[in-house]
Amino acid sequence: MKKRVALVLGSGGARGYAHIGVIEEIERRGYDIGCIAGCSMGAVVGGIYAAGKLDEYRQWIESLDYLDVLRLVDVSFRLGAMRGDKVFGQIRKIVGELNIEDLRIPYTAVATDLTNQQEIWFQEGCLHQAMRASAAIPSLFTPVMQGNRMLVDGGILNPLPIVPVVSSHCDLIIAVNLNSTNQKHYQLPVIERPAAFKARFNSLINSLGSHMPFKRKPAEALLRLEQEALRPSAAVLGSNPWLDAADPSAQQPAAAPETEGAPSSATGSVIIDNVGPASLLDLINQSFEVMQTSLAQYKIAGYPPDVLINVPKRVCRFFEFYKAPELIALGREIARDTLDNYENERR
């Protein structure tokens, strides 16, 4: 008889794509997912799964190259760097118009009500609005207004929403924590990407931060000068009218790709960048991640799941949404190792 799983999918920006690999591994082993609670990207992936559209969603995100991701960025400078209409519009096309109560399994999306300073659980009503509110990452996506409430990412109060599934009649609770500080032996699989497109994406992210009133420190400016020899020429990058219109500085050569999370000098040596965030956007996102890491530990201690799948937060930056194939593969790998250990202990 199949064991029924109550699945908890945590928040963590782009690392949320790892949830797809985790779900695939859980199903491959014959477990039956009986209910889902999710926050931010966990709410998005969980809602799409509960709607029975995860395969279509995966095919879409894995088909996106850097330029496709850039075209989905609808720049906004009001309460968020992006409106999110293009991304969530495509999700709406995939999922359709559904209410949560019509899903095949019980589902909870967690958001934060800034107006009343409280946690909000979506367990009925419009699925699309629930996912959009839960994933309104502060500084990155604009908030969702619902009446007199301003709703943002649930990770502000509950990045790993275990409580909504505690009363479920499932055999075990599996929680996926995207803000783990351990698991150092895991690395993203290497998947070759066009360098020019990656440089364009990084240039846009930098431009979003540059519009906020936070300047780089002089030491970081020296670091960028040192990287100059590694940057591709403007002729290699070509011209992108869409990006150039949003960011005039994008016509300049973009920064070279990072190696193992740290920039390299012209001599090839790794530079430890301890200067701090490059922009207000980086500062807010890094602060948000520190907060989520601490909160997740409290949630785990208060309601320990039967199985805890830890995805290290260092594997990618919060906003690297173009790394879907790598993160899906990593999620599958970590889930396989974790469930192997769980099953071996019970034999």
Side-chain angles (χ1 to χ4, degrees):
M1 182 178 177
K2 288 185 178 182
K3 282 191 174 182
R4 296 185 74 244
V5 169
L7 185 60
V8 180
L9 304 179
S11 65
R15 292 188 299 278
Y17 287 139
H19 290 318
I20 299 174
V22 171
I23 289 173
E24 290 177 349
E25 181 63 21
I26 289 173
E27 290 192 323
R28 188 189 70 81
R29 289 171 179 262
Y31 293 100
D32 179 28
I33 298 176
C35 66
I36 288 182
C39 176
S40 194
M41 272 294 287
V44 173
V45 173
I48 294 171
Y49 171 81
K53 299 293 184 179
L54 193 60
D55 288 342
E56 291 91 331
Y57 178 68
R58 176 180 174 168
Q59 290 172 12
W60 173 58
I61 60 175
E62 287 192 326
S63 71
L64 301 177
D65 59 26
Y66 295 113
L67 191 55
D68 294 325
V69 173
L70 289 176
R71 287 171 174 156
L72 290 170
V73 177
D74 42 7
V75 179
S76 168
F77 302 111
R78 294 184 58 199
L79 301 180
M82 296 164 54
R83 292 189 300 275
D85 294 344
K86 292 183 179 180
V87 173
F88 285 96
Q90 183 62 37
I91 292 174
R92 187 191 289 270
K93 288 181 182 178
I94 293 172
V95 174
E97 300 294 338
L98 283 176
N99 285 332
I100 294 173
E101 53 267 37
D102 296 328
L103 297 175
R104 54 183 179 150
I105 58 175
Y107 166 81
T108 303
V110 176
T112 299
D113 177 3
L114 285 184
T115 306
N116 299 297
Q117 301 182 12
Q118 63 184 13
E119 188 175 319
I120 300 295
W121 292 6
F122 287 92
Q123 295 180 318
E124 59 182 20
C126 177
L127 173 63
H128 180 80
Q129 186 178 48
M131 293 190 296
R132 176 65 180 86
S134 182
I137 303 169
S139 80
L140 192 59
F141 290 112
T142 55
V144 171
M145 300 304 300
Q146 188 181 74
N148 64 346
R149 301 191 302 187
M150 178 180 285
L151 304 180
V152 296
D153 196 305
I156 290 178
L157 293 177
N158 194 353
L160 195 62
I162 300 173
V163 175
V165 304
V166 168
S167 61
S168 67
H169 300 289
C170 292
D171 299 306
L172 70 158
I173 297 174
I174 297 179
V176 186
N177 176 26
L178 301 179
N179 295 286
S180 173
T181 55
N182 54 10
Q183 308 293 319
K184 292 184 178 180
H185 62 284
Y186 287 110
Q187 301 287 342
L188 279 184
V190 177
I191 296 179
E192 294 298 326
R193 303 298 185 97
F197 286 164
K198 180 172 183 179
R200 285 285 181 188
F201 183 88
N202 288 336
S203 177
L204 177 61
I205 292 298
N206 289 337
S207 76
L208 293 178
S210 70
H211 284 275
M212 297 183 176
F214 186 89
K215 302 285 181 72
R216 291 179 180 275
K217 296 183 179 180
E220 190 170 46
L222 292 175
L223 171 63
R224 289 173 65 82
L225 287 174
E226 238 191 317
Q227 291 178 304
E228 198 69 44
L230 295 179
R231 298 179 182 179
S233 67
V236 173
L237 291 177
S239 177
N240 183 338
W242 176 86
L243 179 57
D244 295 344
D247 175 24
S249 65
Q251 297 178 18
Q252 301 301 320
E258 293 177 348
T259 302
E260 297 295 328
S264 300
S265 69
T267 59
S269 60
V270 174
I271 298 172
I272 304 301
D273 183 7
N274 55 5
V275 187
S279 67
L280 182 57
L281 181 63
D282 279 345
L283 175 63
I284 295 173
N285 282 334
Q286 288 184 30
S287 300
F288 188 46
E289 287 205 302
V290 169
M291 178 187 68
Q292 286 190 112
T293 300
S294 179
L295 283 173
Q297 294 307 312
Y298 281 111
K299 299 300 181 183
I300 293 167
Y303 295 92
D306 299 290
V307 180
L308 179 62
I309 297 173
N310 281 313
V311 177
K313 67 178 181 180
R314 59 169 180 75
V315 295
C316 80
R317 291 178 293 177
F318 200 76
F319 47 76
E320 291 182 312
F321 289 97
Y322 56 89
K323 291 186 175 180
E326 295 95 331
L327 287 160
I328 292 171
L330 180 67
R332 190 184 308 112
E333 177 188 359
I334 298 176
R336 183 184 65 242
D337 293 346
T338 305
L339 290 170
D340 278 346
N341 292 334
Y342 170 77
E343 293 170 357
N344 290 336
E345 289 173 358
R346 278 150 184 77
R347 285 177 182 170

